[in-house]
């Protein structure tokens, strides 16, 4: 503290000095503005109050929780629950309505499409792509080729129980491994694959007996893929004349599939997503435009 | 300090008009039909609509606000070219509310002398009473100011009742609190500090004013050399030069920003003319002509010294150009308002996938189409996609009614509807990589037509 009894005032600036002197230089006394100091004191008080009210001091194995009981994790959980509750009005309507009614009702359709879009990004996009265009081995949901049917009900069933999944109600269609299990010889596979390729509008190998291929097709493949290669939805056998092949449209891909077929698996969602979300997804996927 | 005169009267008049509009406009009713708010001026955040008497605008028409802001800016330029900072002196909210607060202060604590004395007084019961009364009225005005603000965002009578019964939404109380405190602080305590230190306008105006602008000017050619009344009379009697200024400091004491105008044009001067009134009163008392301080230009002082006639050029290139800009923007706004469409369409092409190839070789594109119906009744629109080959299939998801293959989409009153539209090329058509198409909606009753352009994409042919 400076001695306040005999204040020395600096001649030049007219400011009193603190009385400190170094080599003839005197320190002027220009204190901080009062309001500035008071704001600083207020921040200290603020901190003390904050310690009491909110979680603040770490202890050995816990922390001081504060008397207000604020907890951001609980707040986040609460916010999520509030969100679910906020959607419940529509979600209940969606559960109650039939799929056709949802598609016909303007309000429900808007909600289902928005809800479906969000759920699709979270659950379906990893395989089917963010736009539902799929990729090799993962079906394209945008086009009009549907291995298991593209009506609202078909899509809904597929979503609930998946394809070749562990659900009892899952749709299962196994293509025999003609090459791996030696049901057909290499030459025969070559013939039948070339026959299919010719019908599907692909280039065929030179000098392959397509007539023999046709006979092989009718004996081995037509039961599932149909006499005219049009595919049979009930057994999940895709059309072979379609422009869109699940495992790639080329002669080599056809040979590979006949020799050692891939049977892709889609998980079921009945136990993972709530009914309203599954219905929303159904309507959303159907709205891509490929739905039947 | 209290003053009276022409410019003081103009200021009071403007204060009554502007504050009257601000405080009472929300209560004016305007009938728009049963299912629309009946408040003449309303910004309805919840429904995303803004109303001004017969005008209703949607968020996407917020460019009307841009037009208003351009007009406001150019009007400020024009004011500056005519008479410097008259906006500041007469119309600026800071000035108007400060004026009101000063009036309260004068009514409660008395005029300048009494207030100086009161400041020096020890804290007696009477002093505390006066101060408390003053701050009470200030806070009431400030509170009413904040309150009026929120009335523009909700139905005013309803909200007033809600506020009184403490049932109004929290946001209303928060805003009233914010604006009450800003009004109280800025008009009660900051006052001219805002004009001198906070406001950017005085920095800009040097670039906007010129030597022909009428500024509050001390005519030193007539006033100097200044001296007391006695001294100058004596000098005049002796045939020595003597000015009309008697150094009474009235001009300085009435100045809201504390400027001595006799030092010439200064940054702090807000062109309010109160010093003119004060000086004119004194000149009348001592039997001299008025106008020792007046709205004048430096140029004219020089001209008078040289014995020429003063010139006043209100109409000159600069002011005419500003006025023309205001007229032009106003005309454009009026034109767009009169030709405002009551329907709208916006089209967003799917980005993922851009197109879908179907099993039969056709190509499909998906679009998100949003239709707006700005009328207060349900209307339906027929959607047609132009630029595609014949027999193109156009479907709108969730819309069953069609006319000749064109979807008929109904949109509710004063709302928008988003539909997913699928356009599929006919099987025989070889679609190029990109086809420009036009989405055209036709309103079913009045035949209003709105279009939006987009493209139809197809795989690139090698």
């Amino acid at each position: 503290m400076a001695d306040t009894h005999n204040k020395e005032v600096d001649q030049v600036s007219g400011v009193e000095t603190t009385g400190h002197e170094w080599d003839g230089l005197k320190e002027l006394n220009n204190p901080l503005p009062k309001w500035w100091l008071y704001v600083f004191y207020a921040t200290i008080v603020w901190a003390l109050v904050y310690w009491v009210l909110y979680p603040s001091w770490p202890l050995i194995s816990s922390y001081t929780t504060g008397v207000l009981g604020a907890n951001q994790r609980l707040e986040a959980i609460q916010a999520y629950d509030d969100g679910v509750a906020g959607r419940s009005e529509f979600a209940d309507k969606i559960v109650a309505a039939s799929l056709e009614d949802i598609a016909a009702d303007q309000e429900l359709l808007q909600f289902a499409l928005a809800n479906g879009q969000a759920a699709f990004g979270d659950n379906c996009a990893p395989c089917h792509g963010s736009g539902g265009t799929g990729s090799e081995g993962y079906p394209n949901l945008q086009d009009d080729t549907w291995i298991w049917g593209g009506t609202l009900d078909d899509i809904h069933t597929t979503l609930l129980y998946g394809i070749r999944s562990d659900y009892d109600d899952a749709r299962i269609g196994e293509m025999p491994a003609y090459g791996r299990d030696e049901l057909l010889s290499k030459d025969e596979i070559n013939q039948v694959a070339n026959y299919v390729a010719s019908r599907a509008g692909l280039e065929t190998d030179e000098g392959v007996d397509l007539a023999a291929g046709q006979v092989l097709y009718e004996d081995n493949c037509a039961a599932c893929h149909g006499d005219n290669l049009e595919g049979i939805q009930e057994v999940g056998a895709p059309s072979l004349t379609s422009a869109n092949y699940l495992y790639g449209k080329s002669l080599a891909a056809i040979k590979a599939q006949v020799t050692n077929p891939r049977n892709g698996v889609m998980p079921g969602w009945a136990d993972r997503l709530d009914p309203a979300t599954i219905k929303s997804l159904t309507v959303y996927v159907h709205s891509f435009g490929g739905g039947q | 300090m209290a003053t009276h005169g022409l410019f003081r009267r103009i200021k009071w008049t403007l204060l009554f008009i502007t504050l009257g509009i601000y405080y009472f406009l929300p209560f004016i009713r305007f009938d728009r039909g049963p299912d629309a708010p009946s408040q003449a001026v309303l910004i309805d955040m919840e429904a995303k609509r803004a109303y001004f008497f017969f005008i209703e605008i949607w968020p996407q028409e917020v460019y009307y606000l841009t037009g208003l802001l351009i007009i406001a800016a150019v009007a400020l330029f024009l004011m500056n070219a005519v008479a410097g900072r008259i906006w500041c002196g007469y119309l600026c909210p800071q000035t108007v509310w400060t004026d009101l607060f000063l009036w309260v202060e004068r009514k409660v604590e008395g005029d300048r002398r009494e207030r100086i004395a009161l400041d020096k007084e020890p804290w007696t019961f009477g002093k505390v009473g006066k101060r408390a009364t003053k701050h009470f009225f200030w806070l009431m005005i400030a509170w009413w100011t904040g309150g009026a603000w929120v009335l523009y965002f909700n139905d005013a009578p309803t909200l007033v009742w809600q506020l009184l019964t403490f049932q109004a939404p929290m946001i209303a109380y928060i805003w009233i609190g914010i604006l009450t405190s800003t009004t109280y602080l800025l008009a009660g305590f900051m006052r001219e500090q805002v004009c001198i230190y906070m406001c950017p306008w005085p920095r800009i105006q040097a670039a906007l004013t010129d030597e022909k602008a009428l500024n509050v000017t001390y005519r030193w050619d007539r006033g100097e050399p200044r001296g007391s009344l006695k001294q100058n009379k004596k000098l005049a009697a002796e045939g020595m030069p003597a000015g009309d200024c008697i150094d009474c400091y009235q001009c300085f004491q009435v100045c809201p920003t504390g400027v001595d105008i006799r030092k010439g044009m200064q940054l702090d001067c807000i062109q309010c003319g109160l010093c003119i009134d004060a000086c004119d009163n004194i000149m009348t008392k001592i039997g001299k002509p008025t106008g020792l301080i007046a709205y004048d230009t430096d140029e004219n002082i020089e001209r008078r010294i040289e014995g020429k006639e003063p010139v006043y050029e209100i109409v000159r290139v600069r002011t005419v150009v500003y006025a023309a800009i205001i007229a032009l923007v106003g005309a454009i706004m009026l034109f767009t308002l009169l030709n405002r469409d009551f329907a709208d369409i916006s089209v967003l092409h799917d980005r993922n996938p851009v197109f879908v190839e179907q099993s039969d070789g056709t190509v499909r594109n998906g679009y998100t189409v949003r239709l707006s119906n700005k009328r207060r009744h349900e209307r339906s629109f027929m959607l047609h996609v132009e630029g595609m080959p014949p027999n193109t299939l156009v479907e709108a998801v969730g819309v069953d009614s069609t006319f000749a293959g064109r979807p008929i989409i109904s949109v509710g009153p004063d709302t928008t509807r988003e539909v997913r539209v699928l356009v599929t090329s006919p099987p025989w058509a070889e679609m190029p990589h990109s086809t420009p198409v036009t989405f055209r909606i036709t309103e079913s009753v009045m035949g209003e037509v709105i279009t939006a352009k987009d493209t139809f994409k197809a795989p690139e042919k090698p």
Side-chain angles (χ1 to χ4, degrees):
Chain A
M1 287 299 286
D3 185 13
T4 51
H5 290 299
N6 46 357
K7 283 179 193 161
E8 187 186 0
V9 176
D10 172 54
Q11 291 291 319
V12 181
S13 59
V15 179
E16 64 181 63
T17 67
T18 58
H20 305 158
E21 193 178 321
W22 293 271
D23 299 340
L25 294 177
K26 286 180 178 160
E27 185 184 30
L28 298 181
N29 184 16
N30 284 311
L32 283 169
K34 276 279 184 292
W35 64 266
W36 184 287
L37 282 172
Y38 290 145
V39 169
F40 174 56
Y41 298 145
T43 59
I44 294 171
V45 174
W46 179 276
L48 292 171
V49 172
Y50 193 96
W51 290 348
V52 175
L53 296 181
Y54 284 92
S56 47
W57 283 97
L59 305 173
I60 304 289
S61 58
S62 64
Y63 57 92
T64 59
T65 53
V67 297
L68 290 186
N71 182 324
Q72 290 189 316
R73 182 181 298 191
L74 290 179
E75 278 170 29
I77 292 168
Q78 185 61 47
Y80 173 78
D81 291 340
D82 290 349
V84 171
R87 285 202 305 262
S88 67
E89 180 204 341
F90 277 109
D92 293 348
K93 279 188 194 169
I94 294 247
V95 173
S98 73
L99 290 163
E100 285 71 22
D101 290 347
I102 297 170
D105 182 289
Q106 212 189 113
E107 217 182 13
L108 284 184
L109 180 68
Q110 293 257 332
F111 175 81
L113 291 183
N115 197 22
Q117 184 173 17
F120 190 90
D122 285 344
N123 302 292
C124 319
C127 294
H128 290 286
S130 58
T133 48
S135 61
E136 195 178 300
Y138 301 99
N140 183 338
L141 306 175
Q142 289 272 2
D143 64 21
D144 60 339
T145 304
W146 293 93
I147 298 172
W148 292 98
T151 65
L152 281 166
D153 275 335
D154 286 334
I155 297 171
H156 192 230
T157 306
T158 304
L159 271 165
L160 280 173
Y161 309 119
I163 305 291
R164 303 184 192 93
S165 70
D166 298 337
Y167 283 89
D168 295 341
D169 295 339
R171 294 175 158 135
I172 294 171
E174 293 279 346
M175 174 155 168
Y178 290 96
R180 196 179 63 213
D181 297 343
E182 292 173 1
L183 302 174
L184 293 175
S185 69
K186 212 164 182 171
D187 280 345
E188 287 170 324
I189 290 176
N190 205 15
Q191 285 166 344
V192 77
N194 271 288
Y195 167 71
V196 170
S198 73
R199 293 287 305 270
L202 290 167
E203 291 282 309
T204 54
D205 292 336
E206 299 253 325
V208 177
D209 188 352
L210 292 181
Q214 181 168 5
V215 174
L216 281 166
Y217 176 87
E218 282 160 5
D219 290 348
N220 295 286
C221 319
C224 294
H225 288 283
D227 295 338
N228 287 317
L229 289 74
E230 75 278 16
I232 297 174
Q233 246 167 37
E234 286 71 29
V235 294
S239 156
L240 301 174
T241 53
S242 154
N244 308 308
Y245 270 41
L246 180 54
Y247 296 109
K249 190 169 181 180
S250 70
L251 183 55
I254 296 172
K255 284 180 190 170
Q257 185 66 9
V258 177
T259 308
N260 189 7
R262 287 184 279 179
N263 291 305
V265 174
M266 167 165 161
W269 299 88
D271 296 334
R272 292 201 251 179
L273 297 174
D274 59 281
T277 304
I278 293 186
K279 276 186 159 177
S280 300
L281 277 168
T282 305
V283 175
Y284 177 65
V285 169
H286 193 264
S287 81
F288 284 162
Q292 293 152 342
Chain B
M1 190 178 112
T3 174
H4 51 91
L6 172 64
F7 298 109
R8 181 65 268 183
R9 274 204 303 280
I10 293 173
K11 271 169 73 80
W12 283 133
T13 312
L14 288 172
L15 183 143
F16 267 99
I17 293 169
T18 50
L19 292 188
I21 291 172
Y22 176 73
Y23 288 130
F24 297 108
L25 190 59
F27 295 100
I28 295 175
R29 305 285 94 189
F30 187 85
D31 188 24
R32 293 191 186 82
D35 45 4
S38 54
Q39 184 163 319
V41 180
L42 176 70
I43 296 164
D44 192 342
M45 288 286 185
E46 213 155 312
K48 302 194 184 77
R49 300 284 179 271
Y51 303 94
F52 185 86
F53 291 93
F54 57 92
I55 302 169
E56 175 192 342
I57 66 166
W58 285 38
Q60 53 266 50
E61 292 164 315
V62 80
Y63 48 75
Y64 286 115
L65 182 64
T66 314
L68 286 176
L69 290 172
I70 293 171
I71 288 180
V74 181
L76 274 175
F77 298 172
L78 179 61
M79 284 184 191
N80 234 290
V82 171
R85 281 174 81 176
I86 46 167
W87 162 263
C88 305
Y90 294 89
L91 285 169
C92 173
Q94 173 66 25
T95 295
V96 170
W97 263 285
T98 303
D99 234 12
L100 187 64
F101 272 47
L102 287 169
W103 177 79
V104 170
E105 194 166 62
R106 271 201 303 276
K107 285 288 160 208
V108 175
E109 296 182 351
D111 211 347
R112 182 167 178 269
R113 277 176 213 283
E114 287 139 12
R115 287 209 306 278
I116 291 172
L118 188 73
D119 277 341
K120 287 182 178 150
E121 259 179 47
W123 282 95
T124 59
F125 192 74
K127 178 169 174 176
V128 172
K130 276 184 181 174
R131 283 282 150 96
T133 313
K134 177 178 81 171
H135 285 282
F136 170 76
F137 280 115
W138 278 5
L139 278 167
M140 290 308 287
I141 296 171
W143 174 80
W144 184 226
T145 305
W149 179 264
V150 300
L151 297 183
Y152 285 89
F153 296 86
N154 216 319
D155 188 55
T158 318
L159 188 59
V160 168
W161 179 245
Q162 284 176 336
L163 287 167
L164 291 174
T165 54
F166 296 103
Q167 290 169 339
M170 185 44 78
I171 189 86
Y173 289 110
I174 291 171
W175 273 106
I176 290 176
I178 292 172
L179 289 159
T180 302
S181 53
T182 51
T183 309
Y184 179 65
L185 287 173
L186 291 178
F189 299 92
M190 300 287 293
R191 295 184 182 173
E192 78 285 353
Q193 309 292 323
V194 175
C195 313
I196 300 170
Y197 301 110
M198 286 169 68
C199 179
W201 188 232
R203 284 60 176 162
I204 304 167
Q205 75 155 347
L208 295 168
T209 191
D210 59 10
E211 73 284 354
K212 290 195 166 40
L214 293 172
N215 284 314
V216 173
T217 306
Y218 167 65
R219 290 170 168 154
W220 52 266
D221 57 310
R222 194 187 122 189
E224 297 297 320
R226 66 185 80 157
S228 71
L229 193 53
K230 272 186 191 163
Q231 186 195 325
N232 273 15
K233 267 187 179 158
K234 206 170 87 187
L235 283 174
E238 290 169 10
M240 302 284 280
D244 281 354
C245 175
I246 58 166
D247 222 4
C248 66
Y249 279 102
Q250 290 288 304
C251 58
F252 178 63
Q253 283 167 8
V254 298
C255 179
T257 58
V259 169
D260 185 350
I261 194 64
R262 295 172 303 171
K263 290 179 182 163
M265 192 55 220
Q266 287 149 80
L267 175 137
D268 330 26
C269 173
I270 57 169
Q271 308 296 336
C272 69
L274 289 183
C275 53
I276 302 180
D277 283 343
C279 189
D280 283 354
N281 290 337
I282 297 293
M283 288 297 125
T284 314
K285 275 181 188 144
I286 64 170
K288 293 261 168 63
T290 57
L292 175 58
I293 306 176
Y295 281 102
D296 202 350
T297 65
D298 285 348
E299 204 183 19
N300 284 341
I301 295 179
E302 304 291 344
R303 288 179 71 94
R304 266 193 303 272
I305 290 171
E306 292 164 16
K308 296 179 190 163
E309 276 295 298
V311 288
Y312 296 101
E313 291 183 63
I314 299 288
V315 182
R316 56 186 193 274
V317 175
R318 183 191 280 258
T319 53
V320 167
V321 168
Y322 286 151
I325 293 173
I326 293 174
L328 179 71
V329 176
I332 292 170
M333 281 176 68
L334 195 66
F335 180 79
T336 52
L337 194 64
L338 294 175
N339 292 291
R340 179 173 179 255
D341 288 323
F342 285 89
D344 203 4
I345 178 174
S346 68
V347 181
L348 185 68
H349 195 293
D350 276 9
R351 286 187 304 226
N352 181 13
V354 174
F355 55 81
V356 177
E357 291 180 272
Q358 316 259 55
S359 55
D360 58 0
T362 57
V363 180
R364 203 189 63 228
N365 278 215
Y367 303 85
T368 304
V369 176
R370 187 174 276 281
L371 303 176
S372 308
N373 171 16
K374 297 180 187 175
R375 294 278 186 203
R376 294 221 158 260
H377 55 269
E378 185 167 353
R379 297 196 294 168
S380 49
F381 300 90
M382 183 175 70
L383 174 71
H384 178 43
V385 180
E386 293 170 340
M388 290 293 289
N391 298 330
T392 292
L393 184 63
V394 178
E395 303 159 283
V397 174
V399 176
D400 291 333
S401 53
T402 55
F403 174 80
R406 297 171 186 179
I408 307 273
I409 304 163
S410 68
V411 187
D414 197 54
T415 185
T416 65
R417 179 173 177 188
E418 197 175 78
V419 280
R420 188 170 157 74
V421 173
L422 304 165
V423 180
T424 313
S425 68
W428 48 265
E430 281 285 322
M431 295 305 294
H433 179 48
S434 179
T435 313
V437 293
T438 306
F439 282 71
R440 194 182 59 176
I441 50 170
T442 313
E443 201 270 324
S444 57
V445 180
M446 303 296 290
E448 207 177 337
V449 175
I450 314 280
T451 58
K453 292 204 179 310
D454 212 302
T455 52
F456 182 93
K457 297 284 184 186
E460 212 154 359
K461 299 284 182 291

